[in-house]
Amino acid sequence: MAGQHMRTLAAATALLVFAAACGDGDGDNVTSEAMTTATGPSASEPETAHSLNSGPSTSGPSPVEASTSDESTTESSTSSATATEPVDDAGEADGEGQPGETTMPVPGSLQDQSEPTETRVLVDGLGREVEISVPPQRIVALEMAASGDPLLSVGAPVVGLAIRDGGVNDTRRFYPGAEAIPVVGTPFDVNVEAVAALEPDLITVGSNPNMLTDLALLEEIAPTVVTGGAPGTGDESVIDVVMGLVGEVTGLEDRVAEEKLRAEQAISDLAAAKPDGTLSFAIVGWFDPNIAVFAPNAFGADVEVLRRAGLVFADVVAESTAPYSELISQERILDIEADLFLYLDNREIETFGLFPSHPTVLAGQSHPVPVNASGLSYAAMVRYAEYFLPIVAGADPGLVMEAAS
């Protein structure tokens, strides 16, 4: 079993924070056919924020890992090495351009470690019926945005994680004790032997059909639930859907409800800080030679909190129907009229092309978006709401108008 090939288990998930943001990523106009839809390799986390990013490419980025690394999304074989201890390459939680650290539960601290008390049959993100024992005692999460981060945020007993190279969407630093959890490869190259060695009673994969193959391999080890992939409906965002499933899978519905209230309060505080009138924004990332722009359909925590706080997408961006982000040529960046320019902090866009000459940048209203704070969780929403608070409170649309004149 371990010797068999396991294809990429993460392609659509990368859709949360540029998967969501911009994975790889030409165009003449943001609203023209010359602007291509961003769709490339990504991991399961609207990677910037929303989503957050993979290597540059002309095909376009995908959502949920706003910063997709240069990992291949082609079929990869599983390694035979044993689980390794993770390395903290995410940086300081309180460093410049990073949301401040918040009080979070220790993984497993809220979970009753006694034997499971019930059996549940639930419908996962792919619409499959999966029978699991609740509460689970040992969970292995094979990507961070839509799986690892949401589980850690409620104190679930996670005993193994798949972490993207370069620390993309690696939010372990926000959860006490999480950096000691063994790593079983990356979402693109899962070490099945290492997963089995951890003896999980539940495996979670936060992705959609595009990034899921060979689930049968994992199901030979333990019940496997896809926590991502399902779209939001009505007033429910993708994050609401993911967190609802996380509560059902872990039996920690009460903790999920508490986290939701915490996120709602943080967003309320952000909305209260917004200046009167309309405040528009655009989130961008550089994918040489193009620029990726988050579209209204993006579902990362960064985009979600700004939207819920009453900010609106810049007009030219609002017209986009891309599933997560679109690619434009650098010349078209000047067509985006926004009161706030937010750019992925893992891309050196500050000095790229015409970006430095944009009126919003000249007005001092461009700010980095920490890609390694992303996740499809209420905790990630709190992180971004708190990070954006001083930025939104200090925004002045009038300065942009002056710079443009």
Side-chain angles (χ1 to χ4, degrees), residues 111 116-137 139 146 150-151 153-154 156-157 201-204 223 225-228 230 236 239-257 378:
Q111 178 69 56
T117 58
E118 66 173 294
T119 297
R120 292 181 179 178
V121 176
L122 53 82
V123 178
D124 72 359
L126 290 187
R128 306 177 312 141
E129 289 190 350
V130 183
E131 182 176 307
I132 64 171
S133 296
V134 178
Q137 308 300 296
I139 304 173
L151 288 165
S153 74
V154 297
D201 56 1
L202 178 66
I203 298 172
T204 61
V225 174
V226 179
T227 52
E236 271 199 332
I239 293 176
D240 292 322
V241 173
V242 170
M243 291 303 296
L245 185 54
V246 164
E248 190 176 3
V249 165
T250 61
L252 296 173
E253 291 93 343
D254 289 346
R255 177 61 189 177
V256 169
Y378 294 131

Side-chain angles (χ1 to χ4, degrees), residues 29-208:
N29 189 305
V30 180
T31 59
S32 73
E33 294 181 359
M35 177 182 219
T36 62
T37 299
T39 62
S42 60
S44 287
E45 309 174 8
E47 209 189 27
T48 140
H50 39 50
S51 41
L52 326 189
N53 303 351
S54 64
S57 123
T58 56
S59 61
S62 76
V64 185
E65 286 194 344
S67 68
T68 58
S69 62
D70 296 327
E71 299 180 56
S72 169
T73 55
T74 57
E75 179 176 324
S76 60
S77 60
T78 59
S79 88
S80 59
T82 56
T84 58
E85 290 302 310
V87 177
D88 177 18
D89 51 9
E92 294 297 325
D94 296 323
E96 183 177 354
Q98 296 289 344
E101 192 166 349
T102 55
T103 301
M104 300 304 300
V106 175
S109 62
L110 301 180
Q111 178 69 56
D112 181 359
Q113 297 301 315
S114 61
E115 290 298 313
T117 58
E118 66 173 294
T119 297
R120 292 181 179 178
V121 176
L122 53 82
V123 178
D124 72 359
L126 290 187
R128 306 177 312 141
E129 289 190 350
V130 183
E131 182 176 307
I132 64 171
S133 296
V134 178
Q137 308 300 296
R138 300 178 62 81
I139 304 173
V140 172
L142 297 183
E143 68 82 39
M144 286 298 292
S147 181
D149 183 77
L151 288 165
L152 292 173
S153 74
V154 297
V158 178
V159 298
L161 291 167
I163 303 293
R164 295 190 67 186
D165 289 345
V168 174
N169 292 335
D170 185 356
T171 58
R172 288 173 296 171
R173 68 188 183 282
F174 294 110
Y175 307 105
E179 290 173 336
I181 296 174
V183 173
V184 295
T186 76
F188 305 105
D189 187 9
V190 175
N191 183 335
V192 177
E193 289 184 347
V195 173
L198 292 172
E199 300 182 345
D201 56 1
L202 178 66
I203 298 172
T204 61
V205 182
S207 61
N208 62 37

